[in-house]
Amino acid sequence: MTFRPVKTAVFPVGGQGTRFLPATKAMPKEMLPVVDKPLLQYAVDEALAAGIERLVFVTARGKGALEDYFDIARELVDSLVKRGKSAELAILEATQIEPGRMVYVRQQDPAGLGHAVWCARHVVGNEAFAVLLPDELLWNPASPALKEMHEAYEQLGGNIISVLEVPDEHTHRYGIVDPGAVDGLITEVKGLVEKPAAGTAPSRLAAIGRYILQPEVMDVLAQGKRGAGGEIQLTDAMAEMIGVQPFHALTFTGTRFDCGDKTGHMMANVALALERDDIGPALRTWLKGLAL
Ligand code: G1P
């Protein structure tokens, strides 16, 4: 199989964020901050660190704030320049992405993750591509998750997904790997099941929202087969590539926060804030003082 470089990343950001109502009534859930950066910015930074050149956001109605976020806030910039606020200007600059590198595609129908990825097919073309689910904050600043996956991809080619062992009682929430040969952090993928019923999971290795995929998966998604929850599932389409193309899972070694969940989002805020020199010490003192 020919080696295709990974230059495009797809970010499915069309979800309604009902778990975070009322905050998400007028704001995309991807804009919820973790400390002072929107969730989506962490995933974008991770993609850029892996050498991604083109960012495709699969959005939906009511997600306009995402487009504004990556735009230049001209009035704000002018006012900061006038007031000599160089630190704030630098913060804004760090979020700036060169024009033409961002593409916005609408998912008109909330038909599932597989459908969202398929909506990006014309932008992806015939290249390998990455998918990042921004709800999953994979924290490993020294070696970002997608970068590690890309390094594995350069060795193995084909399809690579990021995985982590989850407790037995949580396997029904995830795409679960049926594992083959294991070589360190790399596991051969023999099968994939989306949200297996309790007691039926082939392992505890769960997909945690990072994928490097070959474009042929789009042809499978195009068939529009419905899976778990009546949705077009990315996991089901990927499962059809097993045996046709190399397929591996890479175990993530950093800290994972499920920010699609309120508790996970709170934990991410506390953990990342504690790492910060400007707010960490005060927060630590306050936490120690809590009578828990
Ligand atoms: C999606 C995927 C699932 C994956 C999970 C990771 O599920 O369908 O395979 O394990 O993300 O967070 P969702 O959380 O959208 O239900």
Side-chain angles (χ1 to χ4, degrees), residues 171-201:
T171 50
H172 70 279
R173 298 182 191 169
Y174 299 99
I176 301 290
V177 170
D178 181 2
V182 179
D183 179 8
L185 296 174
I186 303 277
T187 302
E188 189 196 339
V189 177
K190 284 196 335 199
L192 282 166
V193 195
E194 180 67 13
K195 301 192 172 73
T200 68

Side-chain angles (χ1 to χ4, degrees), residues 236-249:
D236 297 343
M238 293 191 301
E240 291 201 30
M241 304 316 298
I242 298 165
V244 181
Q245 297 174 340
F247 214 118
H248 296 93

Side-chain angles (χ1 to χ4, degrees), residues 11 38-48 132-134 136 210:
F11 301 83
L39 207 39
L40 182 57
Q41 181 76 54
Y42 290 90
V44 164
D45 287 346
E46 188 189 322
L48 296 175
L132 296 95
L133 309 188
E136 294 276 4
R210 298 294 183 277

